[in-house]
Amino acid sequence: MLNPGDPAIAEAVDVHIERHVAPVDTVFHELISPDLHIDVHWVRPASDRPFHTLVTSGMSERPMQTGAAATEFRFAELAILLEPTWPLEHSRFGDENVYWPIRLLKTVARFPFEAETWVGMGHSIAAANPPAPLAPATELSSAILLPPLSLGEEFMRMPRRDGAITYFWNVLPLYTEELALKFDKGSDALMDALDALGVDDVVRQTRPRAAVRKKFLGLF
């Protein structure tokens, strides 16, 4: 179904990215949208920013069902950072080993509306149940949402015309064992394990995985 979305949201996100990161090089427009229209804005790496920056627009077209306690976080968009050698030519998007981070952004962006819930800081999402690799070339299978630290604190919040705030969350892919650790011990334990490995917020097809006892896998 063709669904162009709200152009004002895409323009606001574009301006926000330029103000706090750098000018957007390209917008990967979604040609067919089953519900929300989710575009992805791309900023190329730079010497002071050695990673690709991908940011959604369209998720914040609707409020999420947060409940009264978290109503401040009802609007959100997502970002994902990729190592600078990641091939992002549109001609390569037929290869799932290239395209999966964009697919993951779109999956996470639609999840709260399909599940009638909300997502925010520390929330985790698996694209399948049980979790399965996101592409043939990686064993990463799920994701956790964190503040976009590498993009700066000011990038995290974007004022809206209606007076609310759109929050930007960084999507960090996880291995199944790491997702299980988060469920069993909490987000702090997972972050401690990733910090011990030197894992940052830039996605790589392969990276070390946090040491996790196999019994955690029984959670799925």
Side-chain angles (χ1 to χ4, degrees):
M1 177 174 62
L2 294 177
N3 177 9
D6 184 347
I9 290 177
E11 291 168 9
V13 169
D14 208 74
V15 169
H16 186 74
I17 296 169
E18 180 169 0
R19 180 176 296 143
H20 298 294
V21 184
V24 171
D25 288 274
T26 301
V27 178
F28 300 128
H29 292 282
E30 190 169 68
L31 299 180
I32 299 178
S33 304
D35 38 41
L36 286 175
H37 181 87
I38 307 295
D39 289 333
V40 177
H41 304 240
W42 173 31
V43 179
R44 296 176 187 270
S47 58
D48 62 339
R49 196 179 359 90
F51 47 78
H52 296 281
T53 302
L54 298 174
V55 182
T56 65
S57 66
M59 181 181 178
S60 61
E61 187 171 330
R62 301 180 194 171
M64 296 180 287
Q65 296 186 26
T66 59
T71 186
E72 175 186 355
F73 302 105
R74 65 191 183 278
F75 295 105
E77 296 288 356
L78 306 172
I80 197 166
L81 312 179
L82 306 179
E83 59 187 332
T85 57
W86 204 290
L88 281 178
E89 298 83 4
H90 196 275
S91 60
R92 299 287 301 276
F93 284 1
D95 181 354
E96 279 298 314
N97 292 323
V98 171
Y99 187 72
W100 70 261
I102 297 176
R103 187 180 302 284
L104 179 62
L105 281 177
K106 292 173 179 284
T107 297
V108 176
R110 289 190 164 95
F111 169 76
F113 305 102
E114 294 171 348
E116 299 182 347
T117 184
W118 69 287
V119 295
M121 169 68 181
H123 290 186
S124 53
I125 300 98
N129 187 16
L134 294 166
T138 184
E139 293 185 19
L140 294 162
S141 64
S142 54
I144 187 170
L145 301 189
L146 300 171
L149 297 180
S150 289
L151 300 180
E153 183 177 350
E154 292 185 351
F155 178 77
M156 185 175 175
R157 298 170 181 84
M158 182 179 74
R160 297 169 53 91
R161 293 179 179 177
D162 58 9
I165 298 292
T166 293
Y167 282 84
F168 289 79
W169 302 107
N170 188 64
V171 177
L172 179 66
L174 300 175
Y175 293 108
T176 300
E177 299 96 323
E178 294 167 347
L179 180 65
L181 172 60
K182 186 255 183 180
F183 284 155
D184 189 71
K185 298 293 185 180
S187 297
D188 288 346
L190 172 61
M191 293 300 101
D192 288 344
L194 294 176
D195 286 344
L197 288 174
V199 174
D200 60 16
D201 53 2
V202 177
V203 179
R204 297 168 177 85
Q205 288 278 25
T206 59
R207 65 162 173 81
R209 70 183 71 201
V212 179
R213 295 195 301 273
K214 291 185 177 180
K215 77 179 187 68
F216 289 161
L217 295 178
L219 292 173
F220 299 105

